Amino acid sequence: MMLHWLILLVMVELSQSVTFPDKEKNPQYWRDQAMQTLRRALALQELNTKTATNLIIFLGDGMGISTVTAARILKGQMAGQLGEETQLEMDKFPYVALSKTYNTDTQVPDSAGTATAFLCGVKTNMGTLGVSAATVPGHCNTTRGNELDSILKWAKEAGKSVGVVTTTHVTHATPAAAYAHSADRNWYSDRDMPPEAITQGCKDIARQLVENIPDMEVILGGGRKYMYPWDTPDVEYPDDPMSNGTRQDGQNLTSIWEEKKPPGKISQYVWNRDQLIDLDPENVDYLMGLFEPGHLLYEQQRTNSTDPSLSEMVHVAIQILNKNPQGFFLLVEGGRIDHGHHAGKASLALHETVEFDRAIGLAGDLTSENDTLTVVTADHSHVFTHGGHPPRGNSIFGRTVPSGGKN
């Protein structure tokens, strides 16, 4: 017991010795910051009336406000700073808003219903993709006539190039709502579907990926096993039966994807980071990259030779899409922020968020505000918070040591 109290006293002593920059002791430092903020706000009265030819939607899955706050601190601490004063790339955006994220049938939404809402403009039932609320979840025979077009399809019809980049598998809820219509978000391959759904004519999500919008220019993420025939060994994990192909129809969808490309166009399929980094975007018209059998590895766990970062995928995607003078639409999902929170692992979730923010900054460097509209949002939040009165600079993953403050 005595040792416990000694440790606590030492920690409290350390917390009270935390220093912050002397400039923050000067009231003028804070007033200057306030004035700069006001000047930037006033400058926004000079509205940008140009027409955006490019649209990028960055979707941080499960990235609520508390996640953004903690990721901001982590980003600063990763750079050797205290952290609280750090600015995320998304913090630099001139306009901020909040949204209501319920599904038509649930108070707390899922990523399928919310993706349908922000990509198709229509709220729908939990667990359904690219269909209106008239579709009964899990019932294939209620799908026909209730399909919704997404902004990705609208962009393609307008002559723009389109792409999806995600850290989940490409048939997961958020990316799937851009191209698929499904009464069940989990119908990734035909093996995941009940026999009656197949008999009634519904298609699995992976098949819809290659058939619904066959001329999608960029598809990057995970999900190899949903593209290959049943029990086909995975190229990266041939000895892992859980990574084998899952399709029961015998189709190799990566080959079908390549076959559907227009004559004279160059398509490229890659499955590891080295292949992605080495390709020449100027000589690629269509790119599919599937870097894991399922979801991509977490940013903290990925292997550099085989698994690209979200930033690296975004870099290549924009280089390919930007060749179209008519412009492009790109959906970028930081999907594993959500998974880290579901697992109760703050470190995984927050490092995913920092990488997501890095990709936002990179996209800004590769595009111009004169012709590109970039939107950063989340589809829902998570039960994640940090509280108490930790001292300035306290590790975002550390204990909240009392600093003497009171509520």
Side-chain angles (χ1 to χ4, degrees):
M1 192 60 146
M2 182 65 69
L3 179 60
H4 171 80
W5 283 108
L6 283 173
I7 293 174
L8 184 59
L9 284 171
V10 169
M11 294 176 73
V12 170
E13 193 68 31
L14 288 173
S15 71
Q16 293 174 342
S17 66
V18 172
T19 60
F20 52 90
D22 284 342
K23 62 185 179 183
E24 294 187 7
K25 299 175 183 178
N26 186 345
Q28 194 59 39
Y29 169 78
W30 302 104
R31 290 168 181 156
D32 288 345
Q33 280 197 46
M35 187 59 67
Q36 291 170 12
T37 301
L38 286 172
R39 285 171 179 158
R40 283 195 297 269
L42 289 171
L44 292 176
Q45 294 180 17
E46 302 174 10
L47 297 179
N48 181 351
T49 57
K50 297 182 174 65
T51 300
T53 56
N54 309 319
L55 170 61
I56 306 175
I57 296 180
F58 279 94
L59 189 285
D61 200 312
M63 187 186 69
I65 294 174
S66 58
T67 298
V68 173
T69 300
R72 180 185 301 117
I73 295 171
L74 174 59
K75 178 182 177 181
Q77 292 181 350
M78 290 171 65
Q81 303 166 357
L82 295 175
E84 297 82 3
E85 71 290 343
T86 305
Q87 191 174 41
L88 292 167
E89 295 298 327
M90 65 183 88
D91 291 333
K92 301 174 185 178
F93 280 45
Y95 301 104
V96 179
L98 294 173
S99 60
K100 293 185 287 186
T101 59
Y102 62 93
N103 288 147
T104 50
D105 60 342
T106 60
Q107 193 173 73
V108 177
D110 78 320
S111 295
T114 51
T116 301
F118 67 76
L119 292 172
C120 305
V122 177
K123 281 189 178 293
T124 192
N125 294 320
M126 182 175 180
T128 62
L129 289 165
V131 291
S132 72
T135 297
V136 179
H139 292 261
C140 165
N141 59 359
T142 64
T143 303
R144 189 176 299 277
N146 296 317
E147 298 91 344
L148 301 170
D149 290 338
S150 76
I151 191 170
L152 186 143
K153 185 176 181 182
W154 301 332
K156 174 54 70 173
E157 291 174 344
K160 298 181 185 295
S161 294
V162 297
V164 169
V165 176
T166 180
T167 53
T168 67
H169 53 79
V170 295
T171 51
H172 209 238
T174 298
Y179 60 81
H181 315 286
S182 181
D184 192 321
R185 59 176 284 178
N186 297 312
W187 290 350
Y188 304 130
S189 78
D190 57 347
R191 177 173 170 75
D192 301 312
M193 301 177 67
E196 62 269 20
I198 297 175
T199 302
Q200 292 166 0
C202 283
K203 299 177 182 178
D204 63 88
I205 297 169
R207 184 176 169 191
Q208 293 189 58
L209 172 62
V210 301
E211 292 185 359
N212 288 5
I213 306 179
D215 53 349
M216 191 188 308
E217 280 80 3
V218 174
I219 303 167
L220 297 175
R224 284 193 299 260
K225 64 182 179 181
Y226 305 116
M227 313 296 284
Y228 288 97
W230 173 256
D231 233 16
T232 302
D234 183 72
V235 64
E236 188 176 359
Y237 310 104
D239 298 324
D240 177 15
M242 297 300 294
S243 298
N244 290 355
T246 65
R247 303 200 62 79
Q248 294 185 325
D249 58 11
Q251 296 190 71
N252 180 336
L253 295 185
T254 60
S255 296
I256 292 174
W257 172 81
E258 290 191 277
E259 292 166 2
K260 287 180 175 290
K261 297 300 166 284
K265 296 293 185 179
I266 301 173
S267 61
Q268 182 103 29
Y269 170 73
V270 298
W271 64 268
N272 63 56
R273 177 182 181 270
D274 288 346
Q275 292 173 343
L276 179 72
I277 299 301
D278 290 343
L279 65 80
D280 180 5
E282 289 298 319
N283 293 319
V284 176
D285 300 304
Y286 298 94
L287 173 64
M288 176 185 282
L290 303 178
F291 305 104
E292 285 290 329
H295 301 308
L296 269 60
L297 298 179
Y298 286 107
E299 175 64 19
Q300 282 187 294
Q301 299 173 346
R302 68 184 179 88
T303 304
N304 286 341
S305 61
T306 55
D307 303 293
S309 67
L310 182 61
S311 296
E312 290 168 337
M313 292 191 292
V314 167
H315 191 185
V316 174
I318 291 177
Q319 287 180 302
I320 292 175
L321 298 175
N322 218 9
K323 295 185 293 183
N324 187 345
Q326 300 298 314
F328 66 83
F329 167 77
L330 176 62
L331 170 64
V332 180
E333 183 197 19
R336 306 225 65 191
I337 300 169
D338 176 72
H339 296 166
H341 280 319
H342 275 302
K345 297 182 178 179
S347 183
L348 293 178
L350 297 184
H351 278 90
E352 290 294 309
T353 310
V354 171
E355 172 57 25
F356 177 73
D357 191 66
R358 188 178 295 116
I360 294 169
L362 175 64
D365 293 337
L366 295 174
T367 57
S368 169
E369 291 183 3
N370 291 327
D371 61 9
T372 303
L373 172 63
T374 302
V375 178
V376 180
T377 187
D379 51 356
H380 58 79
S381 186
H382 260 280
V383 182
F384 169 78
T385 189
H386 54 103
H389 296 285
R392 177 78 177 273
N394 193 65
S395 169
I396 198 62
F397 302 123
R399 289 184 58 191
T400 298
V401 181
S403 61
K406 295 182 179 179
N407 288 328

